[in-house]
Amino acid sequence: MSTAAVSSDPARPGPAPATARTRAAGRPPWVRPAVAVLLVATAALYLWNLSASGYANDFYAMAVQAGTKNWEALFFGSLDPGNVVTVDKPPASLWLMALSGRLLGFSSFSMLLPNALCGVGSVALLYAAVRRTSGPRAGLLAGAALALTPVAALMFKFNNPDALLVLLMVAGAYCTVRALERASTCWLLLAGAALGFGFLTKMLQAFLVLPAFALVYLVAAPAGLGRRLLQLLGAGAALVIAAGWWLVAVALWPAASRPYIGGSTDNTPLELAFGYNGVSRIFGRNGGGGGGGGAGGGTMFGGETGLTRMFGSAFGVEISWLLPAALIALVAGLWFTRFAPRTDRTRAALLLWGGWTVVTALVFSFMSGTIHPYYTLALAPGIAALVGIGAVELWRGRHNFTTRIVLALMPAATGVWGFLLLDRTPDWQPWLRWVLLPLTAAVVAGLLFGLDRIRRAGTVLAVVGVCTGLLAPAAYAVVTAGRGHTGSIPASGPSADAMGFGRAAGTASGALVTLLKRTTTKWSAATTGSQSAAGLALGSDTAVMAIGGFNGGDPAPTLEQFQQYVANGEITYYVTGGGMGGAGRGDGGRIAQWVEQNFTAQTVGGSTVYDLTPGVTTG
């Protein structure tokens, strides 16, 4: 990438000579068919065998099921239709899945379909955003790199909130790119609104890209400094409104007539955002909860913190396949555009996607609280965009010797690192890594020795280089997409399995499910925590109370409230078990003791069950 290869925007305000409009007018005829192939192939990958995961994470599936039965449960993200306690995240992703269930009937397919479509939408928007700054080739490469990232093939077929979160973040980036073209206030407000709705999806994680968005607009927008600052303030207001309307609605709703906000300590979503899902996620248990990163967390909780974390055993195969190439592209691109005008579009794109990648990677690398490998889906668009932009811009400037050397470093780093990642599963397709090395060597040699200067050989070299770079992550993505994944901590790859909460749907016995189906009360049963409750609710298609929420630690319901529900004849059975053993301020232990002392136990399908209906007591 030489300075001649990058866009040369004028210093004056206004669009660059090679604006998106002029590029579109002269767009080659192959572009639209190529985009269609990219999106159809992405849809096929994400929709293929979609129901293999069943209900995936039962914790969220239980809330989706509740949302299909009760509108209040849908609005708050309640775990059950009776609205005792919510999930420990805001409800935006649940809205999509539950509305799909209301339209198509609740099932594994209807629940996971919106997330697969979020994946297709993310690829489409990433293509569109990168194309506007670096052309269709870069956009196509970026879109393909995102679609074939293993963690993307995992999470766009799962029911955690991350799929919608990434779609909204990419939408915010696209709006920022559009705003940069003419210093558009409207597009910048839309970018803020997208991140605001991202907050309603997974809270503060949506704001990890905010520094990059603000920086690139402040640096590169074709307007005076005063106008840029005012526009950013307006975008901030749009973000607050988009994120805040639901928070205000929850605050104004009488607490006694709505569900408890799961995971919070004071029954408010703001405390949930800055406590359990904020400080404690970053700083660990001392921040008020969370839990599990650092030295003692194991790979499913991130393992050791530090700069190499994204390349380690927990995160490496999820996201790092193209990370070395992306970092090379970022550093080289910023160096080669150092003398470009302030409004240069290529440098703006590098600041946008580079800032996205660097800030997110650093936060993930040093978080000592709860973090799981699948969080890295949020890194995938930034990495993919940098690879697409860097590869195309460096290819354009390859006639410069230095640029050619840097260009060769991208496939070299990708091939070597891909070989090492594949070697972590040596028994799975061992031939693949041994094919990858010679292909990589051939591409690097072709670049260094100028094979691209031979007639038509340049096109062949470029195609082989792209295919070689995507070979290893594509293989992992395909095998990931073809397998079912369950549990709260899913992982990609040929042998990975999930762990943790959300694996209980298959544990409810047929006899117990049959018993619950015969009930007619508001709740067929109650049990401590979502691990047991989700299996019972999904298996019986009845309302089951998850005492204490996710891990049994939330104070909902209290013993007094539970006693009142029983006195009113609203719960038929109490099923023992569940919960994580007492963390938090919940009354699960006291409720279990009260039930044991006052009601008669029976064994149903291996589970201890107490009949809570009037007249069935020990006293």
Side-chain angles (χ1 to χ4, degrees):
M1 189 191 309
S2 64
T3 53
V6 300
S7 58
S8 53
D9 297 13
R12 66 180 186 280
T19 62
R21 189 181 304 275
T22 58
R23 282 198 303 270
R27 195 176 303 163
W30 55 264
V31 171
R32 288 187 178 179
V35 174
V37 169
L38 170 65
L39 298 183
V40 169
T42 301
L45 180 65
Y46 294 164
L47 294 172
W48 167 44
N49 206 21
L50 184 61
S51 296
S53 296
Y55 289 122
N57 187 339
D58 292 352
F59 175 64
Y60 292 115
M62 181 184 182
V64 173
Q65 181 192 51
T68 64
K69 296 175 178 290
N70 180 277
W71 287 106
E72 186 176 332
L74 173 65
F75 179 76
F76 287 107
S78 299
L79 274 170
D80 73 90
N83 293 296
V84 173
V85 61
T86 72
V87 299
D88 57 0
K89 299 290 187 298
S93 67
L94 300 176
W95 294 341
L96 283 185
M97 292 185 283
L99 289 174
S100 175
R102 283 179 173 267
L103 180 65
L104 302 176
F106 176 67
S107 67
S108 170
F109 180 83
S110 69
M111 177 181 66
L112 298 177
L113 177 62
N115 292 334
L117 297 180
C118 284
V120 178
S122 297
V123 170
L125 283 173
L126 183 64
Y127 160 78
V130 173
R131 177 188 65 80
R132 299 191 76 87
T133 59
S134 302
R137 290 178 178 83
L140 288 167
L141 180 53
L146 172 59
L148 295 174
T149 300
V151 72
L154 172 70
M155 297 310 297
F156 285 132
K157 304 184 69 166
F158 210 72
N159 62 340
N160 281 25
D162 302 75
L164 178 59
L165 172 69
V166 168
L167 174 65
L168 291 168
M169 291 164 70
V170 177
Y174 173 79
C175 293
T176 301
V177 170
R178 294 296 302 266
L180 282 169
E181 292 175 358
R182 294 181 179 273
S184 169
T185 301
C186 179
W187 281 109
L188 198 61
L189 294 178
L190 288 174
L195 292 188
F197 276 97
F199 179 88
L200 295 184
T201 304
K202 209 177 177 188
M203 293 193 157
L204 296 181
Q205 188 177 335
F207 295 167
L208 291 181
V209 298
L210 189 57
F213 289 11
L215 174 65
V216 71
Y217 196 81
L218 190 62
V219 168
L225 178 60
R227 183 183 175 190
R228 280 176 272 156
L229 289 171
L230 287 175
Q231 288 175 314
L232 286 172
L233 288 175
L239 183 153
V240 170
I241 293 170
W245 68 270
W246 184 79
L247 304 179
V248 171
V250 173
L252 295 178
W253 200 297
S257 63
R258 63 162 172 81
Y260 184 89
I261 304 301
S264 70
T265 59
D266 63 356
N267 198 14
T268 66
L270 271 181
E271 196 284 328
L272 176 65
F274 292 97
Y276 176 79
N277 284 327
V279 172
S280 68
R281 298 273 171 173
I282 298 174
F283 298 110
R285 295 185 185 277
N286 291 334
T299 57
M300 289 298 98
F301 289 88
E304 295 286 349
T305 60
L307 284 175
T308 61
R309 194 186 218 182
M310 294 300 103
F311 301 93
S313 57
F315 295 91
V317 297
E318 304 289 345
I319 193 61
S320 72
W321 303 86
L322 299 175
L323 184 52
L327 295 176
I328 291 170
L330 175 61
V331 173
L334 291 178
W335 174 258
F336 286 130
T337 58
R338 66 193 184 279
F339 297 124
R342 177 180 66 81
T343 56
D344 181 78
R345 291 294 174 259
T346 300
R347 185 174 57 199
L350 292 168
L351 289 174
L352 174 64
W353 303 109
W356 173 318
T357 300
V358 170
V359 172
T360 304
L362 287 176
V363 172
F364 286 170
S365 294
F366 289 96
M367 282 176 63
S368 57
T370 301
I371 181 173
H372 303 305
Y374 68 80
Y375 286 16
T376 56
L377 177 63
L379 266 172
I383 293 172
L386 287 175
V387 168
I389 294 169
V392 169
E393 294 292 352
L394 286 168
W395 178 264
R396 290 171 180 165
R398 67 189 184 281
H399 300 297
N400 177 284
F401 178 75
T402 303
T403 306
R404 181 178 291 272
I405 295 296
V406 176
L407 176 61
L409 284 176
M410 291 183 66
T414 301
V416 172
W417 183 239
F419 177 90
L420 294 174
L421 288 177
L422 289 172
D423 197 47
R424 294 182 182 180
T425 51
D427 296 330
W428 178 77
Q429 307 296 340
W431 61 269
L432 185 60
R433 63 184 185 275
W434 296 111
V435 169
L436 180 62
L437 275 185
L439 284 176
T440 299
V443 171
V444 172
L447 288 170
L448 292 178
F449 291 103
L451 183 63
D452 55 287
R453 295 169 182 167
I454 302 174
R455 186 177 182 184
R456 299 186 182 277
T459 301
V460 174
L461 182 62
V463 171
V464 173
V466 169
C467 292
T468 300
L470 295 179
L471 177 61
Y476 248 67
V478 170
V479 74
T480 298
R483 299 176 64 245
H485 301 271
T486 59
S488 63
I489 312 177
S492 65
S495 59
D497 195 8
M499 63 171 288
F501 282 93
R503 305 183 68 178
T507 65
S509 69
L512 183 54
V513 166
T514 299
L515 186 70
L516 299 187
K517 285 183 175 180
R518 294 172 179 168
T519 62
T520 57
T521 51
K522 184 175 182 179
W523 291 281
S524 65
T527 188
T528 301
S530 66
Q531 187 170 25
S532 293
L536 298 174
L538 295 169
S540 65
D541 194 28
T542 62
V544 177
M545 182 186 299
I547 298 170
F550 173 60
N551 63 4
D554 288 317
T558 63
L559 173 59
E560 293 73 20
Q561 289 172 326
F562 186 83
Q563 290 171 331
Q564 188 62 54
Y565 293 142
V566 173
N568 294 342
E570 294 180 298
I571 312 173
T572 303
Y573 298 107
Y574 176 86
V575 182
T576 61
M580 280 197 343
R585 300 161 292 110
D587 271 4
R590 296 176 62 205
I591 290 172
Q593 184 179 26
W594 177 76
V595 169
E596 182 180 348
Q597 292 173 349
N598 291 278
F599 296 89
T600 302
Q602 58 181 310
T603 300
V604 180
S607 299
T608 301
V609 179
Y610 291 85
D611 191 332
L612 304 182
T613 54
V616 188
T617 67
T618 58

